[in-house]
Amino acid sequence: MTDNAKFQVPGKDGEYPVLEGSVGPKVVDIRKFYADTGMFTYDPGFTSTASCDSGLTYIDGGEGVLLHRGYPIGQLAEQSSFMEVAYLLLNKELPSKDELDKFMWTITRHTMVHEQLATFFRGFRRDAHPMAIMCGAVGAMSAFYHDSTDITDPQQRMIASHRLIAKMPTIAAMAYKYSIGQPFLYPDNDLSYTGNFLRMTFGVPAEKYEVDPVIEKALDRIFILHADHEQNASTSTVRLAGSSGANPFACIAAGIACLWGPAHGGANEAALNMLREIGTPERIPEYIARAKNKDDPFRLMGFGHRVYKNYDPRATVMQQTVREVFKAMDVKDPVFDVALQLEEIALNDDYFVEKKLFPNVDFYSGVVLSAIGFPTAMFTALFALARTVGWVAQWNEMISDPAQKIGRPRQLYTGPTQRDYVALDKR
Ligand code: ACO
């Protein structure tokens, strides 16, 4: 039993229950704080605020721990598959062989998109960013699939979730094909989830596409590493959009919009661009100096994290994946050497040590995705594809919670106080 937390607010002292999760920091339940004191709490960026309770993902940023339903990310990345992790996140437990086969069969049966959706793509400019297309195409899906939008029905919620997980690779591959002027490829359901995506992206109708098992495994692992990450900005966006009862496809489009930003999912693209710009190890000190200069807005992309104040455990697996892909494909990209040396220099620099800035998952993901053949503009689209699993799992968890309410933060108002309207000719 934990003692209540006591707040001393002038004139009104209050006591609030302290809640304990299964692991992690305790949480002060301040839901009655406003009613008791007439005050709001102030926490821009939610650095100290838990917005929900969740049984999906646990992060200990200080120790560099990431668990999905209790399983460490390193073990999942090494031993499971993206489909298994998707099942785990949605259904709380790892699947049996039969359950996994059935789940994969179900996902495979939803891989095609409505034929009408292809016409949406043709409305975009050929040079549109794939994330702009993903945002539009996934949002447009809310105008199809009316048989899975009664969010009060768990069965319909699950069908919408399966559809989103299954169709995201098709949509991401279509966004890529459109940008390079090649025809769209229909899914091939004899292939794995990841193999099918590789074929839809890099195959052409004129030739048979052979999926390289090393690349397939590496990409599947990259998807696992991006599957979920607790209440990050895009997941919170999906939850907030969904809290009003909105259409699930529209909620995921909102998540894609948030993920696009360079401080979030756009960081892998920005990190690779930065590594390419640095070009040679000799130029690293110049960029380290810029990152430390308060008057320079430059930041070392792929470094630092709101939650991890230690090595991001996903970065460790990602670095290993780069080595495997480079070996299998016999790639020697100097950008990887720049990344390794930059990491070493930064990790020994007082500025980065004091601020606990370590490489995050994005630091190496761009290097490996580029080696596989993805253009930088596709990186965040791949992230969105994988994170869809986390988004739909979190959305389902929220909707099925009987205590769920519409999300409605408060504010500290700093605008003008009430004043009278002045007619146009008097201003
Ligand atoms: N390079 C240089 N300095 C940095 C960096 C960086 N990459 N990241 C943080 N800092 C410094 C800040 O300038 C700040 O210094 P100050 O205390 O002297 O003002 C301090 O470290 C704390 O930084 P904040 O921005 O306050 O930390 P926050 O938790 O809000 O930001 C973030 C985290 C946005 C990820 C930040 O580290 C960053 O911009 N990193 C680069 C972008 C990036 O890699 N994003 C990917 C995140 S992972 C993901 O989305 C999958």
Side-chain angles (χ1 to χ4, degrees), residues 47 226 229 232 259 261-268 271 290-292 294 298-307 309 312 314 351-352 355 357 360-363 383 387:
T47 53
H226 288 90
H229 211 230
N232 58 87
L259 184 75
H264 193 6
N268 53 12
R290 281 188 65 194
K292 289 156 64 171
K294 283 271 152 246
F298 173 79
R299 281 187 171 199
L300 222 49
M301 298 314 287
F303 256 79
H305 198 276
R306 168 61 60 80
V307 178
K309 302 302 169 196
D312 179 342
R314 300 168 301 171
Y351 174 92
F352 292 89
K355 293 188 190 303
L357 298 170
N360 59 50
V361 67
D362 292 323
F363 190 62
F383 192 161
R387 184 55 58 85

Side-chain angles (χ1 to χ4, degrees), residues 9-10 12 16 32-41 410-411:
V9 177
K12 282 182 184 149
Y16 297 90
K32 296 212 161 40
F33 191 78
Y34 174 57
D36 286 356
T37 67
M39 290 189 198
F40 298 143
T41 55
R410 310 307 289 246
Q411 64 169 7

Side-chain angles (χ1 to χ4, degrees), residues 226-301:
H226 288 90
D228 191 46
H229 211 230
E230 210 225 56
Q231 306 310 319
N232 58 87
S234 57
T235 301
S236 299
T237 301
V238 170
R239 278 186 179 259
L240 195 55
S243 75
S244 71
N247 176 292
F249 299 96
C251 294
I252 301 305
I256 294 172
C258 177
L259 184 75
W260 191 1
H264 193 6
N268 53 12
E269 184 178 344
L272 185 70
N273 288 339
M274 177 194 76
L275 292 170
R276 290 235 167 91
E277 191 184 306
I278 296 174
T280 61
E282 296 76 58
R283 295 190 65 200
I284 291 173
E286 181 193 324
Y287 283 81
I288 295 271
R290 281 188 65 194
K292 289 156 64 171
N293 182 355
K294 283 271 152 246
D295 299 325
D296 189 333
F298 173 79
R299 281 187 171 199
L300 222 49
M301 298 314 287

